[in-house]
């Protein structure tokens, strides 16, 4: 699919950057005619993916997070969140609702939320090398001009 | 993120405003549990009218408070939930465990 626009950010895995990532995606998505609900959905999905990098990919250190946003032909937003951290041993199992290695502080709902708030979610991971989550959100065509 | 706590006899109301993510959750959970442990309420009401954003970190906090209240023999109610936080709560399915109202 043809790319119409794209931006990239790189930032360290500090929790203060979770809010930055949500703000960045909201700003970029303003080029698409998203509803408030759709905008809330993509902010939530980004928040989940970035938090996973901070909590799971780099549990005892600070490492780089790469956020790439693309607008694709036909009005689709692609969100890619990439880390060079610990990686996931069994991606199928990690995607299951309630699965967590995070103990009492986490609920194991992040991937479930990302999946239900976007149209597609791909997870590629290699232990010791890192994880890439790629999500796409289609903007529903409004029938009538508002 | 702002927390306002008010206690009237056995009812502790905790009102949250702002955005609740993992960054905010780290300190918030300690504060919330402290309020419950000192107030020892029968009912705890979590008022989310001012909460504009929440993700799975918020879901985990709700579950923690629910367990805390259960251990005290009390109950947790979550009220005035706005649209984005409600979508997250719906997706996580915790309305089957915790009493939630819009
Ligand atoms: N970027 C990542 N690097 C390494 N492991 C990850 C990464 N993202 C997810 N995981 C693994 O997948 C599991 C499931 O992730 P998911 O986001 O669904 O739940 P969680 O983060 O554990 O809990 P929640 O998101 O509800 O706070 C995590 O517990 C962790 O083991
Ligand atoms: Mg998560």
């Amino acid at each position: 699919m043809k790319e119409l626009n794209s931006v990239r950010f790189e930032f360290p895995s500090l929790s203060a950057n979770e809010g930055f990532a949500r703000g960045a995606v909201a700003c970029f998505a303003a080029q698409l005619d998203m509803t408030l609900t759709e905008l809330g959905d993509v902010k939530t999905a980004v928040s989940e993916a970035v938090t996973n990098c901070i909590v799971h990919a780099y549990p005892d250190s600070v490492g780089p997070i790469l956020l790439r946003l693309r607008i694709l032909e036909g009005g689709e937003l692609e969100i890619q969140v990439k880390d060079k951290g610990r990686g996931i041993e069994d991606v199928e199992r990690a995607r299951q609702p309630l699965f967590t290695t995070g103990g009492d502080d986490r609920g194991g709902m992040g991937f479930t939320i990302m999946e239900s708030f976007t149209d597609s979610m791909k997870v590629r991971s290699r232990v010791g090398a890192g994880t890439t989550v790629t999500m796409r959100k289609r903007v529903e065509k409004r029938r009538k001009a508002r | 993120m702002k927390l306002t706590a008010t206690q009237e006899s056995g009812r502790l109301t905790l009102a949250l405003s702002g955005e609740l993510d993992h960054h905010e959750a780290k300190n918030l959970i300690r504060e919330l549990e402290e309020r419950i442990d000192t107030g020892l309420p029968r009912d705890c009401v979590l008022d989310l009218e001012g909460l504009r954003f929440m993700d799975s970190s918020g879901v985990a906090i709700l579950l923690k408070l629910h367990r805390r209240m259960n251990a005290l023999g009390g109950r947790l109610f979550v009220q005035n939930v706005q649209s984005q936080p409600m979508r997250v709560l719906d997706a996580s399915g915790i309305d089957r465990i915790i009493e939630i109202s819009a």
Side-chain angles (χ1 to χ4, degrees):
Chain A
M1 222 176 291
K2 207 178 136 204
E3 173 187 300
L4 301 178
N5 195 3
S6 80
V7 289
R8 286 157 195 266
F9 301 94
E10 183 178 333
F11 49 88
S13 61
L14 303 170
S15 63
N17 288 327
E18 292 158 9
F20 163 77
R22 291 196 297 276
V25 77
C27 266
F28 187 69
Q31 295 170 32
L32 290 162
D33 185 26
M34 280 195 176
T35 61
L36 274 180
T37 303
E38 288 166 338
L39 208 53
D41 287 355
V42 298
K43 283 171 74 175
T44 312
V46 165
S47 204
E48 294 298 342
V50 168
T51 300
N52 277 352
C53 301
I54 294 166
V55 175
H56 304 296
Y58 307 110
D60 316 300
S61 58
V62 174
I65 298 174
L66 289 104
L67 172 65
R68 188 186 73 180
L69 305 171
R70 301 203 295 158
I71 291 173
L72 304 173
E73 207 172 36
E76 206 170 9
L77 177 68
E78 186 185 84
I79 301 159
Q80 188 174 80
V81 178
K82 186 176 182 173
D83 66 67
K84 294 173 179 164
R86 198 177 54 176
I88 303 173
E89 222 168 274
D90 183 343
V91 170
E92 260 334 290
R93 193 179 49 157
R95 290 176 68 140
Q96 297 300 311
L98 302 177
F99 176 84
T100 183
T101 57
D104 207 25
D105 287 337
R106 314 247 57 97
M109 289 309 297
F111 278 138
T112 305
I113 290 171
M114 288 183 246
E115 198 158 17
S116 68
F117 282 19
T118 59
D119 294 297
S120 70
M121 176 185 79
K122 260 190 247 158
V123 183
R124 275 189 15 232
S125 190
R126 209 147 50 84
V127 173
T131 302
T132 304
V133 176
T134 309
M135 296 173 279
R136 284 190 180 181
K137 179 86 172 169
R138 261 193 309 278
V139 179
E140 297 302 332
K141 286 267 181 304
R142 238 72 71 211
R143 267 166 239 278
K144 276 187 229 149
R146 280 162 302 175
Chain B
M1 176 95 266
K2 204 175 128 223
L3 165 65
T4 317
T6 42
Q7 181 135 8
E8 263 173 61
S9 58
R11 169 179 285 244
L12 173 66
T13 304
L14 302 165
L16 296 182
S17 58
E19 305 206 345
L20 175 47
D21 59 10
H22 156 255
H23 180 65
E24 298 289 348
K26 289 188 290 186
N27 297 318
L28 183 69
I29 186 62
R30 255 186 286 126
E31 250 184 273
L32 292 172
E33 288 185 335
E34 225 174 81
R35 294 284 184 177
I36 290 178
D37 291 351
T38 49
L40 295 174
R42 190 171 20 84
D43 294 333
C44 178
V45 178
L46 198 61
D47 188 334
L48 302 187
E49 181 164 20
L51 196 74
R52 292 189 312 267
F53 178 87
M54 183 183 103
D55 63 16
S56 66
S57 302
V59 176
I61 283 198
L62 263 53
L63 284 170
K64 259 195 172 169
L65 293 184
H66 170 73
R67 285 197 296 268
R68 197 80 162 198
M69 286 307 297
N70 267 1
L72 291 174
R75 293 216 291 161
L76 175 74
F77 303 91
V78 182
Q79 68 181 29
N80 295 328
V81 184
Q82 304 299 301
S83 80
Q84 186 277 343
M86 192 57 108
R87 275 177 73 73
V88 171
L89 294 179
D90 281 344
S92 70
I94 68 161
D95 53 328
R96 276 168 294 178
I97 306 168
I98 301 177
E99 226 168 291
I100 294 170
S101 58

